[in-house]
Amino acid sequence: MPTPKRPRRTAERILEVTLDLFNRFGEPNVSTTLISAELKISPGNLYYHYPAKDELVNALFGRYEAELSELLAAADNVRHVEDAWLFFHMLFELIWKHRFLYRDLNDLLFKNRKLETHFQSLLAAKEQAMRHVLSGLHLGGALKMELRDAAPTANAMVVVVSYWLSYEYVRDPRHALEPDRAGAALLRGAFHALSLLLPYLEPTSREHLFKLAGQYQSNP
């Protein structure tokens, strides 16, 4: 007889539902009253676990920060275009999973001191990871780049990664951040981040990048 599944803890359920609501409607448009109603629990039960909305934001950000740190460490393993494509696709998938942070980034940074300071650290970690990607591609023979070009290129890649969803949103505010648009948005983001390397990629690696993007575009 199979062992019955243990019910999820209330605190875990609260974070899952809050993340979904924040992603769907944007953090400024989601109240604790809406969260408790969606969960079918009393506001008092919600406040017992998370006494303020900022604590929900901070808890979700903490999860994102931990997942991102683990993923950025994989930049050390990039040696070829295919490695870089996978890395960036996974990076955009993670950003999409927590897209409310990027959808309302300026507002969140203005209101939340913890996010303001921690996001600065994340930007530095992203830039370091981009440098590792460039170095790894150079070691793998896919990239030829002068040292002076590495810093501005890495910085530009961080800008694309950090603000791509904002760009998608401006292009189509009513639909861009809906779940059925995720695949196309992630593809475009990964390709445009890597397209910054096109002037430096070896010809075979450049063609392989276009081929990879084309294969993903042709998939349903």
Side-chain angles (χ1 to χ4, degrees), residues 16-75:
E16 289 179 4
V17 169
T18 301
L19 178 60
D20 178 60
L21 291 173
F22 282 176
N23 282 340
R24 284 163 58 194
F25 303 115
E27 180 273 338
N29 302 315
V30 176
S31 66
T32 52
T33 301
L34 176 59
I35 295 169
S36 58
E38 187 78 8
L39 284 157
K40 296 180 173 59
I41 63 174
S42 68
N45 196 356
L46 177 63
Y47 296 145
Y48 172 79
H49 294 282
Y50 300 99
K53 186 178 173 183
D54 270 357
E55 294 198 23
L56 287 164
V57 173
N58 291 341
L60 291 171
F61 176 76
R63 288 184 168 194
Y64 168 67
E65 191 174 27
E67 290 182 62
L68 181 63
S69 296
E70 183 178 352
L71 176 57
L72 293 181

Side-chain angles (χ1 to χ4, degrees), residues 72-76 87 120-136 150-151 154-155 157-158:
L72 293 181
D76 291 340
F87 173 77
Q120 292 172 5
S121 298
L122 287 188
L123 285 178
K126 286 178 185 176
E127 185 165 354
Q128 185 64 33
M130 298 305 115
R131 287 173 180 260
H132 288 163
V133 168
L134 299 181
S135 176
N155 187 258
M157 294 171 85
V158 172

Side-chain angles (χ1 to χ4, degrees), residues 2 29 35 42 66 75-76 86 89-90 98 110-111 123 129 138 147 151 154 161 164 166 176 178 199 202 207 213:
N29 302 315
I35 295 169
S42 68
D76 291 340
L86 177 60
H89 207 275
M90 292 176 66
H98 301 273
F110 178 77
K111 295 187 302 184
L123 285 178
H138 178 75
L147 185 61
V161 167
W164 185 257
S166 295
E178 294 300 316
E202 290 295 308
E207 290 306 311

Side-chain angles (χ1 to χ4, degrees), residues 99-173:
R99 59 192 176 276
F100 83 93
L101 291 168
Y102 290 87
R103 172 178 180 161
D104 305 302
L105 181 56
N106 290 352
D107 182 66
L108 285 169
L109 295 182
F110 178 77
K111 295 187 302 184
N112 190 308
R113 177 62 178 166
K114 178 180 178 179
L115 263 63
E116 179 186 345
T117 55
H118 281 238
F119 245 100
Q120 292 172 5
S121 298
L122 287 188
L123 285 178
K126 286 178 185 176
E127 185 165 354
Q128 185 64 33
M130 298 305 115
R131 287 173 180 260
H132 288 163
V133 168
L134 299 181
S135 176
L137 289 172
H138 178 75
L139 288 172
L143 187 77
K144 282 191 175 180
M145 175 181 285
E146 293 185 19
L147 185 61
R148 66 180 182 179
D149 294 329
T153 302
N155 187 258
M157 294 171 85
V158 172
V159 172
V160 172
V161 167
S162 299
Y163 289 97
W164 185 257
L165 290 187
S166 295
Y167 172 71
E168 290 279 345
Y169 183 75
V170 171
R171 289 178 68 235
D172 188 3

